Amino acid sequence: MQDARDPRTESPPNRSKPRSRRLPREVRERQILDAAVQVFARHGYHEAAMDEISEVAEISKPMIYAYLGSKEELFVACIRREANRLIESISGAVDADLPPDEQLWRGLRAFFEYAQQNRASWTVLHRQASTQGPPFAAELSAWRRRALDLVTTLLSRADGTEEDRQVRHEQMQPFAAALVGAGESMVDWWIEHPEHTADALSMRLMNLVWMGFGDMVQGRRWKPD
Amino acid sequence: MQDARDPRTESPPNRSKPRSRRLPREVRERQILDAAVQVFARHGYHEAAMDEISEVAEISKPMIYAYLGSKEELFVACIRREANRLIESISGAVDADLPPDEQLWRGLRAFFEYAQQNRASWTVLHRQASTQGPPFAAELSAWRRRALDLVTTLLSRADGTEEDRQVRHEQMQPFAAALVGAGESMVDWWIEHPEHTADALSMRLMNLVWMGFGDMVQGRRWKPD
Amino acid sequence: MQDARDPRTESPPNRSKPRSRRLPREVRERQILDAAVQVFARHGYHEAAMDEISEVAEISKPMIYAYLGSKEELFVACIRREANRLIESISGAVDADLPPDEQLWRGLRAFFEYAQQNRASWTVLHRQASTQGPPFAAELSAWRRRALDLVTTLLSRADGTEEDRQVRHEQMQPFAAALVGAGESMVDWWIEHPEHTADALSMRLMNLVWMGFGDMVQGRRWKPD
Amino acid sequence: MQDARDPRTESPPNRSKPRSRRLPREVRERQILDAAVQVFARHGYHEAAMDEISEVAEISKPMIYAYLGSKEELFVACIRREANRLIESISGAVDADLPPDEQLWRGLRAFFEYAQQNRASWTVLHRQASTQGPPFAAELSAWRRRALDLVTTLLSRADGTEEDRQVRHEQMQPFAAALVGAGESMVDWWIEHPEHTADALSMRLMNLVWMGFGDMVQGRRWKPD
DNA sequence: GATGAATGAGGCTTCATTCAT
DNA sequence: TATGAATGAAGCCTCATTCAT
């Protein structure tokens, strides 16, 4: 809980390599967000210090405030960006023309792969964002809704009337929530058992939610085509 | 009528009911833990202020420190107590002599009922404890291990050799993790859709994990005996 | 600076050997003062906690307050008692009929012996009392005056008119101060070089103040008769 | 508690000159150390409040922490700086080519002059540093060793073999300790008798340690060339 | 008389945020 | 524009002191 940054032992006043200046705003913002996600993931919202973010981003604190506002706003910006990336990642992997089980399978795989390759991003979304109380509730709700929608869509057939689909969509929601939660939880477990591959994890979850234990205990398994 | 206060006689600032005093240590500790769980659940570990806990508990801060130690230790005490309560709740509901599906069903129902009746407790365990970094890692590991063990036991048949069971126990772990995560997530969803009953939620999750989507989309459902 | 007394791990509520009661006031006061001197010497005035004093004294805090008043008054009482003991110790060792050097020699020896046998007492007087600012100034002044008087008397011949003696008494004061300081300092040094005896230390100081370096560098030494 | 600030440096009551800002780090550090020495000297380590130091220094507390670390570290920094100043003061006054008595005389005079002009500094070194227990033991040891070395050197002739000098150096230590203590003590006495000059005090101590009482009572005195 | 229980007050420390250059 | 310097506000924790039994 103690970080070893001691201002007294820091670099001498005349810094030899002056921080590069006059970068376009977009680049700066990305630098900042990258650093923020990293630091928020490492320490959690509260323990994360603006000082550390500014160091990691190699941008001075006043610039951070100028570009992205308060710490709270910065965190919201992180959540929003990372949520988009994840959603796009999964959306890009599925294909509306495939049968539901195939879609689900692809979605799951995309999810596990994303979590593996963007651990910090995922940590911020899953662990940090959900624990910081009211200030981020709105942002979180939005992200959850999108995630549920996506999963619900994956789970629903595309046929039937519009009304039919609407109803099914509603009914699917708790299942979708369960699926998302199961995925999150498996990723957590994965972190402590990294010897498994993303494929293996996806397969297990697929079996759980597609076949169910009832089938599994009798030896039936789901397999990709 | 007797209470009609004469506006002319100034009552003491606020304290109508003087804080009861000289309670035995045990009672005080429970008061404190109750308050702490509530406040930690509401704001998260870091945002929770010892001041607020002491106000909610109606006990001065020094007593909190005398009885339960630092904020960190207090949080650990909360986790430990609530974990015990939940585990006992579920353990008490299952019965080793029943078939696996029936056991699972009872366990799930117990879990959802507990979560419904002890929302703060559950929030602390699920949301807060897992996000506060190293200081609580040990306590968390312990609690997770117990939870996984419990679920794994529910999911495993009791027959076969000891070795068999050991192996199955290992293989079950990711499924158990998934199941726990699914449950957690459904509870979250439930909070925003409180019109459902604990029974209904349990049933849905049961269907998901026992029958699987593959069966569900064909209209097959699991039902209790 | 951290003491390991943790109230949570203390003796169970029903203490088997009840603290003995109804002792006469004098005994209690001595217990308290003994404990206080010990604790003050160990930690210094500020770090000394009334809790620890009460534990060491085996007397509850309210009794301490009843008998000796506030922490400040308790400290004053310590100073006063220990100053008396030391002064009496030295006074008892000298004999007005002896020649000055012999008197000085005896006084020094008495002092070093006292310091050796009552380290806590001496520490409180020398180290702690002088550093605690205004609150104890009066008590300290009194003790210093007495110490100076004693030493001045040792150093002055008893002959001459009363006026003569008064004058000499005045002139002696800075020397007396120097002598006391030299003694204090040698005791400090002694603590880290405990292989020396009280006699040896006394002899060295005696040589310093009686013969002076001027003589010593030429090999002249003072010796007791 | 109201600012007992030296009238010469007192700022005008109505802060017309807003706290000067943007000073370079070096200046700030000196300001802080000056204030800290003053406050530590006045109240002692424990009674000294960071709040008061920050007020006296006219710098906000966070800057103190940023530049000099915790209260403990700040105190150590004070000790170190003041010890250096004193040692340099005395070292600068002596001259290895002079005979021992002349050297001692110069050293004493330098010491008394320093003590007169830097009372706070001296108080911190002498009274406070030695009473604050373990945390400062290392720093104190270092400073004491240097002081003893310096005095021992003053007292030792430079002739003889290296081995001789080593032995004498050892034997001199208790005398050096005594001398330092005598000096400290005379300064204390001086504070209450400020009518004497530094020269007079030095002369008295010189007589005591060089001639000894044995000579003095017979009217022999030491005099500078 | 004796004490476990209780607290007001205050100290050290940190951090998000903003000047002034 | 970009940043080192600066601080208000707040949090955790401890301790001398006193009730109420």
Side-chain angles (χ1 to χ4, degrees):
Chain A
M1 246 168 173
Q2 194 70 318
D3 225 334
R5 285 165 296 115
D6 184 340
R8 281 159 297 162
T9 64
E10 250 161 39
S11 52
N14 46 358
R15 86 174 46 241
S16 49
K17 184 196 75 179
R19 209 167 270 185
S20 59
R21 307 189 174 209
R22 313 272 151 181
L23 292 183
R25 182 184 182 110
E26 263 181 23
V27 179
R28 285 273 150 119
E29 286 196 352
R30 195 169 55 232
Q31 276 181 28
I32 297 173
L33 285 175
D34 287 344
V37 167
Q38 200 181 123
V39 175
F40 282 134
R42 194 151 58 221
H43 303 295
Y45 177 72
H46 247 86
E47 298 283 16
M50 293 300 274
D51 266 328
E52 187 177 354
I53 294 177
S54 112
E55 267 170 42
V56 171
E58 300 195 358
I59 291 181
S60 72
K61 275 189 294 176
M63 291 308 294
I64 298 184
Y65 282 88
Y67 280 144
L68 290 169
S70 69
K71 188 182 184 183
E72 212 169 293
E73 290 169 288
L74 175 58
F75 191 51
V76 167
C78 290
I79 296 176
R80 204 169 289 170
R81 189 182 72 161
E82 301 309 318
N84 280 338
R85 290 182 55 208
L86 172 53
I87 297 266
E88 279 160 19
S89 214
I90 299 181
S91 302
V94 300
D95 176 344
D97 292 338
L98 295 172
D101 60 339
E102 188 63 24
Q103 277 198 59
L104 183 55
W105 162 246
R106 295 192 176 198
L108 287 179
R109 227 177 25 184
F111 165 72
F112 280 104
E113 274 162 7
Y114 181 91
Q116 184 176 38
Q117 287 157 25
N118 304 274
R119 183 145 310 160
S121 165
W122 172 249
T123 303
V124 164
L125 279 178
H126 170 40
R127 300 232 94 102
Q128 304 303 336
S130 26
T131 27
Q132 302 308 339
F136 310 110
E139 205 54 34
L140 251 199
S141 284
W143 136 249
R144 278 200 177 126
R145 210 170 316 116
R146 293 174 63 199
L148 280 186
D149 272 6
L150 175 56
V151 176
T152 315
T153 304
L154 289 186
L155 295 180
S156 309
R157 289 185 200 248
D159 59 1
T161 70
E162 174 58 28
E163 191 186 358
D164 270 0
R165 287 172 48 215
Q166 189 61 35
V167 167
R168 275 208 313 271
H169 196 89
E170 276 307 312
Q171 289 175 340
M172 280 294 173
Q173 285 215 1
F175 292 110
L179 179 56
V180 169
E184 293 176 347
S185 215
M186 282 187 93
V187 170
D188 286 345
W189 179 86
W190 194 12
I191 290 175
E192 294 170 18
H193 300 76
E195 66 274 14
H196 300 265
T197 65
D199 253 38
L201 271 283
S202 313
M203 188 72 82
R204 289 203 172 166
L205 185 49
M206 188 68 197
N207 264 298
L208 174 59
V209 299
W210 195 258
M211 302 299 282
F213 273 113
D215 286 338
M216 280 196 280
V217 296
Q218 292 170 23
R220 289 192 285 273
R221 291 287 181 279
W222 181 92
K223 283 186 209 161
D225 295 336
Chain B
M1 295 296 167
Q2 300 310 333
D3 251 16
R5 275 180 275 170
D6 187 336
R8 287 164 303 174
T9 61
E10 194 121 320
S11 55
N14 273 348
R15 183 177 305 275
S16 50
K17 181 194 70 179
R19 193 170 283 185
S20 59
R21 306 190 173 214
R22 303 301 123 170
L23 295 184
R25 183 190 181 112
E26 261 182 25
V27 179
R28 288 294 194 207
E29 284 195 355
R30 199 168 48 233
Q31 276 181 27
I32 295 172
L33 284 176
D34 288 343
V37 167
Q38 202 181 123
V39 175
F40 282 134
R42 194 151 57 223
H43 302 294
Y45 177 72
H46 268 289
E47 296 284 19
M50 294 301 275
D51 266 325
E52 186 177 354
I53 295 177
S54 105
E55 268 168 40
V56 172
E58 301 197 343
I59 290 179
S60 71
K61 272 188 297 175
M63 291 309 294
I64 300 184
Y65 283 91
Y67 284 156
L68 292 171
S70 69
K71 189 182 182 183
E72 211 169 294
E73 290 169 291
L74 175 58
F75 191 51
V76 167
C78 289
I79 296 177
R80 203 170 289 173
R81 189 182 73 161
E82 301 309 317
N84 280 339
R85 289 182 54 207
L86 172 54
I87 297 262
E88 280 161 17
S89 220
I90 299 180
S91 303
V94 300
D95 178 343
D97 292 337
L98 296 173
D101 60 338
E102 187 64 25
Q103 277 197 59
L104 182 55
W105 161 246
R106 294 191 179 200
L108 287 179
R109 226 177 26 186
F111 165 72
F112 279 104
E113 273 161 10
Y114 181 91
Q116 181 176 40
Q117 287 156 24
N118 304 275
R119 182 145 311 158
S121 165
W122 171 248
T123 303
V124 163
L125 280 179
H126 168 42
R127 298 237 97 95
Q128 305 303 335
S130 21
T131 24
Q132 303 309 337
F136 310 111
E139 205 55 36
L140 247 203
S141 285
W143 139 247
R144 279 204 174 122
R145 209 170 317 118
R146 293 174 65 199
L148 276 185
D149 272 7
L150 177 55
V151 175
T152 315
T153 305
L154 289 187
L155 295 181
S156 308
R157 289 187 204 244
D159 60 359
T161 70
E162 174 60 27
E163 192 185 357
D164 271 0
R165 287 173 48 216
Q166 188 62 35
V167 168
R168 274 210 311 270
H169 197 89
E170 277 304 314
Q171 290 177 338
M172 279 296 172
Q173 286 214 4
F175 292 111
L179 179 56
V180 169
E184 293 175 347
S185 212
M186 283 186 91
V187 169
D188 285 345
W189 178 86
W190 193 10
I191 291 175
E192 293 169 19
H193 301 77
E195 67 275 12
H196 300 263
T197 65
D199 252 38
L201 270 283
S202 314
M203 188 72 83
R204 290 205 170 161
L205 186 49
M206 188 65 198
N207 264 297
L208 174 59
V209 299
W210 195 257
M211 302 298 284
F213 274 114
D215 286 337
M216 281 196 279
V217 295
Q218 293 170 23
R220 290 195 285 273
R221 293 286 181 279
W222 180 92
K223 285 186 208 162
D225 296 336
Chain C
M1 244 165 174
Q2 195 69 316
D3 224 332
R5 283 167 296 110
D6 183 340
R8 279 160 299 162
T9 64
E10 251 162 39
S11 51
N14 45 357
R15 89 176 41 245
S16 48
K17 185 195 75 178
R19 208 167 270 184
S20 59
R21 307 188 175 208
R22 313 272 151 177
L23 293 184
R25 181 186 182 110
E26 261 182 24
V27 179
R28 286 273 150 118
E29 286 196 353
R30 197 169 54 233
Q31 277 181 28
I32 297 173
L33 285 175
D34 288 344
V37 167
Q38 201 182 123
V39 175
F40 282 134
R42 194 151 57 221
H43 303 295
Y45 177 72
H46 247 86
E47 298 281 18
M50 294 299 274
D51 266 328
E52 186 177 355
I53 295 178
S54 112
E55 267 170 41
V56 172
E58 299 195 356
I59 291 180
S60 73
K61 276 189 294 177
M63 293 305 295
I64 298 184
Y65 281 89
Y67 280 146
L68 289 169
S70 69
K71 187 182 184 184
E72 213 170 291
E73 291 169 289
L74 176 58
F75 191 51
V76 166
C78 289
I79 297 177
R80 203 170 288 171
R81 189 181 73 159
E82 300 309 317
N84 279 339
R85 289 181 55 206
L86 171 54
I87 297 265
E88 278 161 17
S89 216
I90 299 181
S91 303
V94 299
D95 176 344
D97 291 337
L98 295 173
D101 58 340
E102 188 63 24
Q103 278 198 56
L104 183 54
W105 162 246
R106 296 190 176 199
L108 287 180
R109 229 179 21 187
F111 165 73
F112 279 104
E113 275 161 6
Y114 181 91
Q116 183 176 38
Q117 287 157 25
N118 304 274
R119 183 144 311 159
S121 166
W122 171 248
T123 301
V124 164
L125 280 179
H126 170 41
R127 299 234 96 99
Q128 304 303 337
S130 25
T131 24
Q132 304 307 340
F136 310 111
E139 205 54 35
L140 250 200
S141 284
W143 137 249
R144 278 201 176 126
R145 210 173 312 117
R146 294 174 64 198
L148 278 185
D149 272 7
L150 175 56
V151 176
T152 315
T153 304
L154 289 186
L155 294 181
S156 309
R157 289 184 202 245
D159 61 359
T161 69
E162 175 58 29
E163 192 187 355
D164 269 1
R165 287 173 47 216
Q166 188 61 37
V167 167
R168 275 208 313 269
H169 195 90
E170 278 304 316
Q171 289 177 338
M172 280 295 172
Q173 287 215 0
F175 291 110
L179 180 55
V180 169
E184 293 175 347
S185 212
M186 284 186 90
V187 169
D188 285 346
W189 179 87
W190 194 10
I191 290 175
E192 293 171 18
H193 301 76
E195 66 275 14
H196 300 264
T197 67
D199 253 37
L201 270 284
S202 313
M203 187 72 85
R204 289 207 168 159
L205 186 49
M206 187 67 196
N207 264 298
L208 174 60
V209 298
W210 194 259
M211 302 300 282
F213 274 113
D215 286 338
M216 281 196 279
V217 295
Q218 291 171 23
R220 290 194 284 273
R221 292 288 182 279
W222 181 92
K223 286 185 206 160
D225 294 338
Chain D
M1 290 304 151
Q2 289 318 327
D3 277 9
R5 274 180 283 173
D6 185 335
R8 284 164 302 174
T9 65
E10 205 158 86
S11 55
N14 46 357
R15 180 178 304 275
S16 52
K17 182 194 69 178
R19 192 172 284 188
S20 59
R21 306 188 173 216
R22 305 299 123 170
L23 294 185
R25 183 191 181 114
E26 261 183 25
V27 179
R28 287 296 195 206
E29 284 195 355
R30 199 169 48 234
Q31 277 181 26
I32 295 172
L33 285 175
D34 288 343
V37 167
Q38 202 181 123
V39 174
F40 282 135
R42 194 150 60 221
H43 302 294
Y45 176 73
H46 267 290
E47 297 284 18
M50 294 300 274
D51 266 327
E52 187 178 353
I53 295 177
S54 106
E55 270 169 38
V56 171
E58 300 197 347
I59 290 179
S60 70
K61 273 187 296 175
M63 290 309 293
I64 301 184
Y65 282 89
Y67 283 156
L68 292 172
S70 69
K71 188 181 184 184
E72 211 169 294
E73 290 169 291
L74 176 58
F75 191 51
V76 166
C78 289
I79 296 177
R80 204 170 287 173
R81 189 183 73 160
E82 301 308 319
N84 280 339
R85 290 181 54 205
L86 172 52
I87 297 263
E88 277 162 18
S89 219
I90 298 181
S91 303
V94 299
D95 177 344
D97 291 339
L98 295 173
D101 58 340
E102 189 63 25
Q103 277 198 59
L104 182 54
W105 161 246
R106 294 191 178 199
L108 287 180
R109 226 178 25 185
F111 166 71
F112 280 103
E113 273 161 8
Y114 181 91
Q116 183 177 39
Q117 286 157 25
N118 304 275
R119 183 144 311 158
S121 165
W122 171 248
T123 303
V124 164
L125 279 178
H126 169 40
R127 298 239 95 98
Q128 305 303 336
S130 19
T131 24
Q132 304 308 339
F136 309 112
E139 207 54 37
L140 246 203
S141 284
W143 137 249
R144 277 200 176 129
R145 210 171 314 117
R146 293 174 63 197
L148 276 185
D149 271 7
L150 176 56
V151 175
T152 315
T153 306
L154 288 186
L155 294 181
S156 308
R157 287 188 202 245
D159 59 0
T161 70
E162 175 59 27
E163 193 186 354
D164 271 0
R165 288 171 48 214
Q166 188 63 35
V167 168
R168 274 210 311 273
H169 196 88
E170 276 305 314
Q171 289 175 340
M172 280 295 170
Q173 286 215 3
F175 292 110
L179 179 56
V180 169
E184 293 175 346
S185 215
M186 283 186 91
V187 170
D188 285 346
W189 179 87
W190 194 12
I191 289 174
E192 293 169 19
H193 300 76
E195 67 274 13
H196 300 265
T197 65
D199 253 38
L201 270 284
S202 314
M203 188 72 83
R204 290 203 170 165
L205 185 48
M206 188 66 198
N207 265 298
L208 175 59
V209 298
W210 194 258
M211 303 299 283
F213 273 115
D215 286 337
M216 281 197 279
V217 297
Q218 291 170 24
R220 287 193 286 274
R221 291 290 180 278
W222 180 91
K223 284 187 209 157
D225 295 339

